[in-house]
Amino acid sequence: MPSLRRRLLRALLLPVVITLMGGVLAHRTAIDVIGAAYDASLLNLADGVAERIRAGESRLQMDMADGGVALLRSDTVDTIFYRVRDDDGNLVAGDGDLPPPDAISVDAPPGYFDTDYHGKAIRGVRLHRMIDDRGFYVTVAETLGKRQAALERLLLGFVAAIAGLVVAVVAIVRIAIPSGLSPLANLSARLAARDGEDLSLIDPASVPLELRTLVEALNTVLGRMASAQALQRSFLQNAAHQLRTPLANLQIQVELLGTSPAADQLEHVTRATVRVTRLANQLLALARAEAGEHLMVDATPIDLAPLIDDMLDDWLIQADRKQIDLGVHRQSARVAGDGTLLRELVANLMDNALKYAPVDGWVSLHCTAHAGEVLLTVEDDGPGIALQERTRVFNRFYRTPGSAGSGVGLGLAIVQEIVRAHRGRIELETPSVGTGLRVRVSLPEAQPGLAAAERL
């Protein structure tokens, strides 16, 4: 993309060219106007001469004294010439050798001509008149002094205007454009001078009005980055805090084992190890879910039915321990996404449901495709989540007051990140029985073309 300076110069070029073309057209029009004005004056002189012709007994005569002839020829700049001939070619008055000798048609309008006379360029007009059934021709010409002087003044004004335009363009290019772009350069310099940790917002009042939209967009990006940075910092602090306790317990249990550990000691170590492993796996899953939008670039169609089948045995074992009635109803449903993330999505929903469902309770999973969406629903008859808590449970490391179990509050946060990465929706509801929790997830169904591409 060309620079702003080049774009401005290109934008300036068109009006400059239009102005020059308009100036040239105006110059030519002015030349025509000046010529027409002097031609009209020349025609007036010819009409004045024609008005002085009288019919004598044998020939036409010009009724003008010597003073009148001198007045006719008087001009402060140019020399005036004239000639009057009758239809027979006889000279009535004036300069007999004034060109051109050819007569014009009797019915023709006044005709203008340009020629040389006695070494001087002249402009003349010829016309034909009648008096007492006698016809005569009048020719009046003048040198071009006034015309050339007027054209020179016009040309000087035109050149001055062009020079002024050139000066204005140069001033715009050398001064106005750099001055106009300086706020943008200053903004770039201010941003470049920041360190990587400075995500403070830019004051829109510190830039011109035209840049405020850009600054507002930058502030939006900076705000998101600051929020992400704060979230990351909080995540790392919480993760470190959550890992510190189980790791310390695991270390103590290991130190107490001795050379002949008892069965209960080994059980404590096993439970601590499982907890640390699960927490680490959840942290890794959350990090992967946060990068889900980038992973979606290489999205492939994933059928959730076999993915659910792969985890079914583990769920049955967990359900059997608590005598939970587990129902799984799934159909082939293809989602364009990342298989690992989708597996983590289903696993977290089912782990939560099996964890919070009571002994002799029930858990159900439904997976189907309908109207371009894949609908995944997980229900249980556990304690559920109060309405006022349903937005907060998606926060990382948040657990509802009085919740049982040893979780750290990452399950639904991971689920929400995965759903967002797959451009889906998640809703928390109360089942129709009035107790427990229903989690409803809607994901876009993979398009048939994408599935065909995968088979190829």
Side-chain angles (χ1 to χ4, degrees):
M1 179 179 292
S3 66
L4 285 177
R5 184 187 301 271
R6 185 171 297 177
R7 291 169 66 92
L8 289 173
L9 289 176
R10 288 180 179 177
L12 182 64
L13 180 61
L14 180 60
V16 169
V17 171
I18 293 176
T19 302
L20 289 176
M21 294 178 62
V24 171
L25 180 61
H27 182 259
R28 294 176 62 89
T29 302
I31 290 176
D32 292 340
V33 170
I34 290 174
Y38 283 110
D39 284 350
S41 176
L42 198 62
L43 180 60
N44 288 335
L45 286 177
D47 285 332
V49 171
E51 292 294 329
R52 295 291 180 177
I53 301 302
R54 302 286 185 267
E57 293 181 359
S58 59
R59 56 190 300 270
L60 298 176
Q61 296 178 352
M62 183 174 182
D63 183 15
M64 184 178 293
D66 292 341
V69 173
L71 182 61
L72 173 65
R73 295 182 180 274
S74 65
D75 190 279
T76 57
V77 176
D78 289 314
T79 303
I80 307 297
F81 307 99
Y82 75 97
R83 181 189 64 214
V84 180
R85 278 197 186 128
D86 61 19
D87 287 345
D88 295 329
N90 299 313
L91 180 65
V92 176
D95 306 300
D97 59 346
L98 181 65
D102 297 332
I104 62 174
S105 173
V106 172
D107 298 327
Y112 294 92
F113 62 91
D114 295 286
T115 186
D116 290 330
Y117 182 57
H118 293 174
K120 296 180 180 180
I122 61 172
R123 170 95 171 155
V125 61
R126 293 172 295 172
L127 53 84
H128 184 271
R129 293 288 186 268
M130 299 291 295
I131 182 171
D132 294 341
D133 297 328
R134 298 181 186 181
F136 62 94
Y137 297 92
V138 176
T139 301
V140 176
E142 64 179 357
T143 54
L144 306 179
K146 294 190 297 295
R147 296 171 185 258
Q148 291 177 349
L151 293 177
E152 287 174 0
R153 289 194 300 272
L154 177 63
L155 181 61
L156 180 61
F158 179 71
V159 171
I162 294 298
L165 178 61
V166 171
V167 171
V169 170
V170 171
I172 291 174
V173 172
R174 298 297 298 273
I175 300 175
I177 292 180
S179 176
L181 294 178
S182 61
L184 189 59
N186 294 336
L187 177 61
S188 300
R190 286 160 54 190
L191 291 175
R194 291 188 176 192
D195 56 38
E197 299 297 322
D198 186 2
L199 297 177
S200 59
L201 302 183
I202 305 169
D203 182 10
S206 65
V207 298
L209 182 62
E210 292 77 9
L211 292 180
R212 290 184 183 176
T213 302
L214 173 62
V215 167
E216 290 171 358
L218 283 174
N219 283 341
T220 300
V221 174
L222 291 173
R224 291 175 181 171
M225 292 177 63
S227 177
Q229 188 180 70
L231 192 62
Q232 183 183 45
R233 188 180 297 111
S234 174
F235 171 75
L236 293 175
Q237 291 173 351
N238 289 329
H241 175 73
Q242 294 294 334
L243 283 171
R244 186 180 298 114
T245 299
L247 287 175
N249 290 336
L250 180 60
Q251 181 180 2
I252 292 173
Q253 296 295 332
V254 171
E255 291 174 352
L256 293 175
L257 286 178
T259 58
S260 301
D264 61 337
Q265 290 178 319
L266 289 176
E267 184 180 355
H268 284 308
V269 172
T270 300
R271 286 201 302 266
T273 303
V274 169
R275 184 181 179 189
V276 171
T277 301
R278 175 166 176 75
L279 178 57
N281 286 335
Q282 284 193 310
L283 291 175
L284 291 174
L286 181 59
R288 184 177 178 86
E290 288 178 334
E293 292 186 1
H294 301 288
L295 296 175
M296 290 297 290
V297 176
D298 300 321
T300 57
I302 305 296
D303 193 343
L304 296 186
L307 186 148
I308 291 172
D309 292 342
D310 288 342
M311 296 183 285
L312 185 55
D313 289 342
D314 292 336
W315 297 336
L316 288 172
I317 293 173
Q318 297 179 53
D320 187 59
R321 290 173 183 168
K322 299 174 64 175
Q323 300 299 310
I324 292 175
D325 181 12
L326 176 61
V328 175
H329 309 276
R330 92 287 183 280
Q331 299 176 351
S332 178
R334 302 173 72 83
V335 176
D338 180 83
T340 302
L341 290 180
L342 292 172
R343 183 184 184 89
E344 192 71 30
L345 165 65
V346 179
N348 273 279
L349 292 179
M350 288 299 293
D351 286 346
N352 278 344
L354 292 168
K355 180 191 301 182
Y356 291 106
V359 176
D360 295 328
W362 57 269
V363 171
S364 68
L365 181 150
H366 292 265
C367 178
T368 184
H370 177 71
E373 288 187 324
V374 172
L375 306 177
L376 180 66
T377 304
V378 177
E379 297 185 55
D380 65 75
D381 62 343
I385 300 176
L387 288 175
Q388 64 272 18
E389 296 289 327
R390 289 182 182 177
T391 56
R392 304 180 64 186
V393 293
F394 292 108
N395 296 335
R396 301 167 185 181
F397 303 106
Y398 179 79
R399 302 187 68 200
T400 57
S403 55
S406 58
V408 295
L410 284 178
L412 287 177
I414 294 172
V415 168
Q416 185 185 49
E417 289 294 339
I418 296 173
V419 171
R420 181 184 294 119
H422 288 77
R423 296 174 177 83
R425 303 186 309 276
I426 182 171
E427 299 172 294
L428 302 183
E429 303 172 347
T430 301
S432 57
V433 296
T435 59
L437 179 68
R438 176 191 295 141
V439 182
R440 189 191 303 273
V441 174
S442 302
L443 301 173
E445 186 178 12
Q447 299 300 318
L450 187 58
E454 180 194 26
R455 289 195 297 270
L456 293 175

